[in-house]
């Protein structure tokens, strides 16, 4: 991916965890690859936890190197990357301090990218301060999640930012959309005649989407206890993945064609009747347990968490899409913390053959399935049945693998690297449009409101398990189970 697009990348929250773990490592990998970033491109870090550029570069050396290339750091490339970085210490709550920022960047070339790796409470003040010094022209603004607490607060942020930047200037980032298997899902569906005829209710029995984490809330207790898994993961990541899986073929891969089709899926989600939430939604909260031999504490005892907290750390949902392609096909969404493994995957279970002359094994559920693994290793695996060697017609499950790191010699591009390059080059297809975000909040809100009003606490589950038993029971009612339970 060659580019000659000159840019000035302004990173607000330049000493924060996200900047250290994801953003700066992604920019370094693009720099190291050669040709992905224009030689004239500059990075301007904005923060208060460093006094000057030398102090900031020391901070970057200490906190970023461990998150870059697994094969070690090329010191020559690292030195030339650091040469791109400028630093400014300003108070983000003081609009007058942004005059200093303008003085630093007004002579720098190319499109201006403002990346807000800050808390959402600072989004509007930063945007207004940028406008007050005329920095909202020839610019793009990147907003990290969470964008609001509910539909009302999300709209308030979008309204305020929309008064300063046009929709075409706003990049709402969801890093799951930048992952290689998600991109390859689009390629498999829309680039091959094999899958598209099967990608519908006649041939698909059910679809599972899971994002599971072994980690707890770590040092984010204060934030997480006011957020919960439904807001933190379902409203954005899981619904975005669902819309990619279920969307109709777009007219082209330009930004609005792709996002128009995703929006149609979100608007076709069957509204959840509050009276049915107990049947189609499971919320849980982790208790103490053991993960990989290490004892871990209960959520309620984590720092920053209220001892009587009813915040959910686990969500499982049964979702339906009311359109011709997917009517009657259940989509099962699941996310949680302190689960048995760290995994993100999409499982497409195809229907069994209608009649088998080869025995009962050909009729079992899940004999044919497509598993798209997003993490930890990115693969796409197609399962089917084949005859076992030897006497008789005995069938066994086999699979065809697309393991990207083995098939393609060039290294895979990390999600943040792809998305940051898309921002710099003005490609919006992998970013969330405002109407998509509103549709997702509108669908999620009845669940949020019902759980807020409920006197029933979240269902407990032991850390190191796959969540409350009610999650498995919900799938059992539909004659299926989560993938790991079958194995």
């Amino acid at each position: 991916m060659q580019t000659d697009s000159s840019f000035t990348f302004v990173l607000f929250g330049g000493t924060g965890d996200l900047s250290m773990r994801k953003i700066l490592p992604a920019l370094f990998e693009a720099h190291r690859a050669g040709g992905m970033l224009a030689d004239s491109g500059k990075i301007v870090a904005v923060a208060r936890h460093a006094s000057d550029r030398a102090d900031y570069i020391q901070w970057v050396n200490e906190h970023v190197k461990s998150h870059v290339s697994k094969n070690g750091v090329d010191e020559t490339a690292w030195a030339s990357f650091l040469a791109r970085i400028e630093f400014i210490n300003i108070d983000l709550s003081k609009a007058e301090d942004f005059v200093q920022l303008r003085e630093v960047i007004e002579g720098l070339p190319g499109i201006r990218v403002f990346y807000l790796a800050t808390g959402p409470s600072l989004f509007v003040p930063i945007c207004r301060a940028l406008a007050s010094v005329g920095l909202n022209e020839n610019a793009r603004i990147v907003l990290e999640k969470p964008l609001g607490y509910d539909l009302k607060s999300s709209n308030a942020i979008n309204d305020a930012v929309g008064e300063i930047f046009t929709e075409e200037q706003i990049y709402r980032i969801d890093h799951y959309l930048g992952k290689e298997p998600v991109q390859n899902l689009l390629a498999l569906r829309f680039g091959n005649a094999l899958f598209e005829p099967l990608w519908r209710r006649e041939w698909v029995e059910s679809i599972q989407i899971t994002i599971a984490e072994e980690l707890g809330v770590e040092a984010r207790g204060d934030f997480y206890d006011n957020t919960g898994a439904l807001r933190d993961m379902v409203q954005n990541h899981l619904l975005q993945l669902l819309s990619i899986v279920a969307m109709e073929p777009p007219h082209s891969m330009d930004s609005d064609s792709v996002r128009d089709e995703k929006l149609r899926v979100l608007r076709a989600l069957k509204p959840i009747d509050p009276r049915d939430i107990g049947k189609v939604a499971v919320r849980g909260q982790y208790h103490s347990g053991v993960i990989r031999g290490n004892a871990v504490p209960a959520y309620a005892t984590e720092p920053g968490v209220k001892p009587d907290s009813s915040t959910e750390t686990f969500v499982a949902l049964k979702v339906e899409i009311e359109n011709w392609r997917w009517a009657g096909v259940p989509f099962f969404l699941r996310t949680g913390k302190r689960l048995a493994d760290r995994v993100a995957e999409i499982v497409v279970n195809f229907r069994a053959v209608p009649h088998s002359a080869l025995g009962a094994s050909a009729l079992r559920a899940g004999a044919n399935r497509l598993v798209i693994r997003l993490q930890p290793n990115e693969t796409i695996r197609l399962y089917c049945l084949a005859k076992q060697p030897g006497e008789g017609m005995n069938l066994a499950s086999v699979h065809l693998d697309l393991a990207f790191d083995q098939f393609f010699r060039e290294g895979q591009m990390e999600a943040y690297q792809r998305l940051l390059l898309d921002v710099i080059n003005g490609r919006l297809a992998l970013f969330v449009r405002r109407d998509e975000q509103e549709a997702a909040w509108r669908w999620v809100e009845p669940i949020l409101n019902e759980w807020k009003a409920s006197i029933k606490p979240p269902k407990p589950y032991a850390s190191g398990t796959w969540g409350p038993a009610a999650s498995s029971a919900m799938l059992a009612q539909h004659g299926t189970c989560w993938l790991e339970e079958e194995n």
Side-chain angles (χ1 to χ4, degrees):
M1 187 187 298
Q2 300 292 314
T3 183
D4 58 0
S5 300
S6 190
F7 66 92
T8 298
F9 189 97
V10 181
L11 179 58
F12 292 97
T15 54
D17 185 60
L18 180 64
S19 297
M20 299 297 106
R21 289 188 303 107
K22 296 294 184 181
I23 301 172
L24 288 175
L27 289 171
F28 169 71
E29 292 297 344
H31 168 86
R32 184 182 62 85
M36 289 187 176
L37 297 179
D39 291 341
S40 58
K42 290 290 186 180
I43 301 167
V44 179
V46 180
R48 295 190 66 193
H49 296 295
S51 57
D52 54 25
R53 184 181 183 279
D55 190 23
Y56 183 72
I57 294 300
Q58 181 179 345
W59 181 280
V60 170
N61 275 316
E62 293 174 359
H63 293 86
V64 176
K65 272 191 173 182
S66 61
H67 298 293
V68 298
S69 177
K70 298 175 183 176
N71 300 320
V73 177
D74 179 331
E75 293 298 336
T76 301
W78 181 251
S80 60
F81 174 69
L82 295 181
R84 289 184 183 267
I85 299 177
E86 303 291 341
F87 173 77
I88 182 170
N89 181 319
I90 62 174
D91 187 341
L92 299 182
S93 65
K94 295 180 178 178
E96 59 270 22
D97 280 13
F98 282 69
V99 174
Q100 301 175 46
L101 177 62
R102 184 185 63 195
E103 292 172 351
V104 169
I105 70 174
E106 62 184 354
L108 297 178
I111 189 74
R112 292 165 181 162
V113 174
F114 297 109
Y115 197 116
L116 274 56
T118 68
S121 62
L122 289 172
F123 289 175
V124 174
I126 289 174
C127 289
R128 287 175 175 163
L130 289 171
S132 72
V133 294
L135 291 179
N136 57 323
E137 301 294 333
N138 188 35
R140 296 167 187 149
I141 188 95
V142 186
L143 304 178
E144 269 284 350
K145 77 173 187 75
L147 203 66
Y149 184 78
D150 52 19
L151 179 60
K152 182 179 179 180
S153 59
S154 174
N155 281 341
I157 293 174
N158 278 316
D159 286 344
V161 175
E163 292 175 358
I164 299 161
F165 296 94
T166 67
E167 183 64 27
E168 290 70 30
Q169 291 177 284
I170 302 172
Y171 290 69
R172 301 174 189 85
I173 195 167
D174 186 329
H175 71 275
Y176 275 88
L177 299 185
K179 289 182 175 290
E180 198 71 55
V182 175
Q183 301 302 295
N184 257 302
L185 173 59
L186 295 173
L188 283 174
R189 281 195 61 193
F190 306 135
N192 299 284
L194 175 64
F195 287 106
E196 182 56 28
L198 305 178
W199 214 261
R200 59 189 65 249
R201 66 186 185 280
E202 292 89 349
W203 302 108
V204 175
E205 182 178 74
S206 65
I207 294 178
Q208 302 174 14
I209 305 177
T210 294
I211 302 177
E213 300 177 89
E214 286 184 333
L215 294 175
V217 296
E218 306 310 302
R220 300 168 69 230
D222 287 330
F223 162 78
Y224 198 90
D225 207 37
N226 291 305
T227 305
L230 190 65
R231 290 186 179 92
D232 191 42
M233 298 297 291
V234 175
Q235 183 272 331
N236 39 69
H237 298 326
L238 281 167
L239 288 185
Q240 282 294 314
L241 290 177
L242 180 148
S243 67
I244 289 285
V245 171
M247 65 189 276
E248 294 295 320
H251 173 263
S252 70
M253 294 308 293
D254 71 74
S255 59
D256 280 331
S257 293
V258 172
R259 297 190 295 180
D260 285 346
E261 298 304 334
K262 288 165 56 189
L263 177 63
R264 289 188 178 95
V265 173
L266 294 170
R267 287 178 170 170
L269 293 176
K270 181 180 180 180
I272 291 183
D273 189 321
R275 294 170 296 182
D276 294 332
I277 284 178
K279 301 175 185 177
V280 299
V282 176
R283 65 170 176 158
Q285 186 184 99
Y286 66 80
H287 286 204
S288 59
V290 177
I291 296 181
R292 301 193 186 279
N294 298 313
V296 295
Y299 173 76
T301 65
E302 298 274 20
V305 174
K306 297 184 289 293
D308 60 346
S309 174
S310 61
T311 297
E312 78 283 353
T313 61
F314 176 95
V315 174
L317 300 170
K318 174 188 171 250
V319 179
E320 295 182 64
I321 299 173
E322 296 183 312
N323 63 19
W324 276 62
R325 182 183 289 269
W326 296 113
V329 177
F331 288 70
F332 298 105
L333 312 184
R334 175 177 60 164
T335 187
K337 291 187 174 296
R338 291 284 191 222
L339 298 183
D341 200 3
R342 173 181 174 265
V343 62
E345 64 187 7
I346 300 164
V347 180
V348 181
N349 289 312
F350 295 100
R351 295 189 186 279
V353 295
H355 169 75
S356 174
L358 302 176
S361 60
L363 296 172
R364 72 172 188 265
N368 300 145
R369 63 161 53 104
L370 185 69
V371 179
I372 301 127
R373 177 67 64 91
L374 306 179
Q375 66 183 31
N377 52 323
E378 299 184 340
T379 60
I380 295 179
R381 179 172 287 183
L382 177 64
Y383 288 83
C384 54
L385 294 177
K387 179 189 174 298
Q388 290 184 349
E391 186 179 0
M393 184 58 72
N394 299 312
L395 302 183
S397 179
V398 297
H399 56 262
L400 308 173
D401 266 345
L402 174 55
F404 303 111
D405 58 346
Q406 297 177 24
F407 193 84
F408 297 107
R409 292 185 177 181
E410 60 270 22
Q412 292 186 56
M413 189 180 293
E414 293 292 333
Y416 268 96
Q417 183 180 343
R418 172 180 288 105
L419 294 172
L420 294 181
L421 289 172
D422 278 0
V423 177
I424 291 169
N425 291 294
R427 296 186 286 261
L428 277 158
L430 300 182
F431 295 85
V432 181
R433 205 167 58 192
R434 176 174 179 169
D435 48 10
E436 290 181 72
Q437 193 175 66
E438 288 180 0
W441 273 121
R442 193 170 289 111
W443 186 82
V444 162
E445 275 211 323
I447 310 173
L448 285 171
N449 294 336
E450 184 67 16
W451 284 353
K452 183 178 180 180
S454 175
I455 60 173
K456 294 181 180 179
K459 296 182 183 299
Y461 64 95
S463 293
T465 68
W466 283 102
S471 168
S472 299
M474 182 173 67
L475 271 69
Q477 292 174 0
H478 296 274
T480 188
C481 63
W482 295 109
L483 182 60
E484 77 280 348
E485 293 173 334
E486 181 176 305
N487 294 339

